[in-house]
Amino acid sequence: MPSDHVDVLIVGAGLSGVGAACHLRRDCPDKTYAVLEARDAVGGTWDLFRYPGVRSDSDMFTLGYSFRPWTDARSIADGASILEYVRETAREYGVQRHIRFSHRVTRAEWDSVAARWTVYAERTDTAEPTNTAETVVLTCSFLFACTGYYRYDEGYTPTLPGVDAYAGRLVHPQHWPDDLDHAGKRVVVIGSGATAVTLVPALARRAAHVTMLQRSPSYLIALAARDRLADALRRRLPAGVAYPVVRWKNVLLSTATFQLSRRAPGLVRRLLRRAATRLLPVGYDVDRHFSPRYDPWDQRLCVVPDGDLFTAVSEGRASVVTDTIDTFTADGLRLASGDEVRADIVVTATGLNLLALGGLTLRVDGVDVDLADTVAYKGMMLSGVPNFALTIGYTNASWTLKADLVAGYVCRLLRHLDRTGQHVVTPLPPPGDERVPLIDLRSSYVLRGVAALPRQGARTPWRLHQNYVRDVLLMRHGRLADEGVRFSRRARQGRSTDRAEV
């Protein structure tokens, strides 16, 4: 029976949680740890999403772990390959035996006297017909939340006027039915984000026709599904040598694209429009269907591997309609323009619901923590919350780039505490009153839920810069002890033993 106390308790066995466990194994082999996973499988997002064509929206040389080279030929990979990569990594580093499945963490309480967290989880016995649940209590010295920030059990579906009249099949991509056969069917995909852009060309391979119905367009960029430099280097160099070269090439390219979008949005808008025009039929209304009203990177730029969406539209297997829904009908949808779109299947690729920490609530010395009142320290810890870290990936680059940095930083902190004979690290709130949202995208799913997330301050180390190169310097090589954090020993008899750190 595993111990009920561990040095580090990781919440979530997805891409971030497995990576965090591997970093602990590599950098802090003396630390005990456990991973609590609400579901019954490793993989997180990549095990949950099963819709046709599910794939990465970032290149795998940056979405893959820094310590384990991605060796598949494809740079933009399908979901099944990514899931197997995560699971293989977990097996290689022995993470599997540390995972407790079907444990949904509900709350965690910090006690400064003991300098430890008491964590409560609901363990569900999925073998029982009634899914019997019991409360499990564990303790840990450091709590590491690798839960992402969206709700797993429920995707976002807006109010759909007249939907009860619809006689066809209505599905959300987050919960794709195993029995859904779209071959030869007329399909409407509502949405214009990354999920819709992925679904449309995948469905169009077998469907009679697919319509992407969007209220407004998103920026799309066509990228090769294979990386030519990676192919060339891997023919000549070992994977361990070629991988970091390609990884850094892609980091710098994506950083340059983001910075150019911020500094010269008009130029990037024109370049993206020109690229779409080249890939679409002559005379196609690019401005209506592929030219958003917002600037590039106000919302995430959607990747189209090998231009597959543009190809499907050009070949007539798919079409894009920019309009709003007046009402559903028995046979499909009637639009505000008066046009009707017939559909056997309607897919609501309408986004996610944000859920901070997977629904986990925190208490510190008997006081509830309101996440919206906290400020993120280095984008990974919360002001006033001791011995706690969370992983939130980049919005302008791959999630794993930041996840690797956060896990590495946690290991640095743990080694520092041991080396200095201390037990507690507590981020401090920034000076001044300026607070801005932690996630700066203007996407609808962010705007709906960002008020419930932690905030960020005006400057480093409370500012999230969305810049990997800058964060490498800050988190791998920067000082652990700065104005934003306090180190201390375990409290004794209720008295603090804080001390200045060197």
Side-chain angles (χ1 to χ4, degrees), residues 309-362:
L309 174 64
F310 298 113
T311 300
V313 170
S314 298
E315 293 177 352
R317 294 180 287 114
S319 56
V320 179
V321 174
T322 304
D323 207 333
T324 55
I325 300 170
D326 175 40
T327 187
F328 274 74
T329 66
D331 299 323
L333 305 99
R334 185 168 64 244
L335 307 180
S337 62
D339 293 340
E340 296 202 10
V341 182
R342 296 170 65 86
D344 304 302
I345 301 169
V346 173
V347 182
T348 54
T350 46
L352 309 167
N353 283 319
L354 292 190
L355 182 65
L357 305 182
L360 163 66
T361 61
L362 304 174

Side-chain angles (χ1 to χ4, degrees), residues 241-469:
V241 177
Y243 183 65
V245 173
V246 180
R247 185 179 173 91
W248 270 106
K249 182 267 293 184
N250 289 350
V251 164
L252 296 175
L253 184 60
S254 64
T255 301
T257 300
F258 177 78
Q259 294 298 330
L260 184 62
S261 298
R262 285 293 190 239
R263 289 167 170 74
L267 171 62
V268 175
R269 180 193 293 266
R270 290 191 296 273
L271 291 173
L272 292 172
R273 184 189 183 282
R274 187 180 306 164
T277 301
R278 286 199 303 266
L279 295 169
L280 290 164
V282 175
Y284 190 89
D285 194 347
V286 175
D287 288 329
R288 178 172 176 78
H289 301 306
F290 291 100
S291 295
R293 294 184 294 270
Y294 58 87
D295 284 337
W297 274 114
D298 283 352
Q299 297 183 27
R300 190 174 174 91
L301 199 62
C302 296
V303 172
V304 182
D306 293 331
D308 58 3
L309 174 64
F310 298 113
T311 300
V313 170
S314 298
E315 293 177 352
R317 294 180 287 114
S319 56
V320 179
V321 174
T322 304
D323 207 333
T324 55
I325 300 170
D326 175 40
T327 187
F328 274 74
T329 66
D331 299 323
L333 305 99
R334 185 168 64 244
L335 307 180
S337 62
D339 293 340
E340 296 202 10
V341 182
R342 296 170 65 86
D344 304 302
I345 301 169
V346 173
V347 182
T348 54
T350 46
L352 309 167
N353 283 319
L354 292 190
L355 182 65
L357 305 182
L360 163 66
T361 61
L362 304 174
R363 288 171 65 88
V364 173
D365 294 329
V367 179
D368 291 336
V369 175
D370 183 347
L371 292 181
D373 286 340
T374 65
V375 180
Y377 169 78
K378 296 184 178 177
M380 56 159 286
M381 301 180 78
L382 303 179
S383 59
V385 182
N387 287 22
F388 175 82
L390 74 163
T391 298
I392 296 181
Y394 291 117
T395 57
N396 65 340
S398 89
W399 180 275
T400 318
L401 287 173
K402 186 60 181 288
D404 266 338
L405 289 178
V406 171
Y409 194 87
V410 167
C411 291
R412 287 186 69 199
L413 282 176
L414 295 174
R415 294 196 304 269
H416 181 80
L417 289 171
D418 288 346
R419 187 172 61 251
T420 58
Q422 303 194 84
H423 310 98
V424 182
V425 53
T426 308
L428 305 174
D433 297 326
E434 183 177 348
R435 303 287 188 273
V436 296
L438 184 63
I439 303 174
D440 61 356
L441 290 180
R442 307 300 298 171
S443 304
S444 297
Y445 77 94
V446 173
L447 297 178
R448 285 193 304 269
V450 72
L453 296 180
R455 312 287 281 177
Q456 59 175 318
R459 59 184 176 85
T460 305
W462 298 278
R463 188 73 173 184
L464 190 62
H465 293 286
Q466 299 289 346
N467 187 312
Y468 178 70
V469 177

Side-chain angles (χ1 to χ4, degrees), residues 39 52 54 56 59 65 77 205 286 348 381 386 396 430 445 493 496:
R39 303 173 71 246
V54 60
S56 61
D59 72 277
Y65 299 116
R205 297 187 189 108
V286 175
T348 54
M381 301 180 78
N396 65 340
Y445 77 94
Q493 299 176 347
S496 171

Side-chain angles (χ1 to χ4, degrees), residues 124-243:
T124 303
D125 188 347
T126 56
E128 294 290 332
T130 57
N131 283 345
T132 305
E134 66 171 333
T135 299
V136 176
V137 182
L138 303 93
T139 60
C140 64
S141 301
F142 197 98
L143 183 59
F144 195 174
C146 298
T147 58
Y149 53 61
Y150 70 87
R151 185 169 176 172
Y152 268 45
D153 62 345
E154 179 183 275
Y156 174 73
T157 302
T159 300
L160 300 172
V163 70
D164 291 340
Y166 179 55
R169 194 81 180 264
L170 185 73
V171 300
H172 192 285
Q174 191 163 324
H175 300 287
W176 195 268
D178 292 335
D179 64 346
L180 184 60
D181 183 8
H182 64 277
K185 303 291 180 62
R186 297 164 299 184
V187 183
V188 171
V189 178
I190 302 174
S192 61
T195 301
V197 168
T198 298
L199 269 167
V200 171
L203 293 171
R205 297 187 189 108
R206 298 177 58 227
H209 187 79
V210 181
T211 301
M212 186 167 85
L213 174 60
Q214 57 182 16
R215 184 176 53 189
S216 58
S218 298
Y219 285 109
L220 310 183
I221 182 169
L223 296 177
R226 294 183 61 140
D227 190 303
R228 292 182 180 179
L229 177 62
D231 288 345
L233 290 179
R234 284 191 295 203
R235 287 194 297 267
R236 296 170 174 81
L237 299 172
V241 177
Y243 183 65

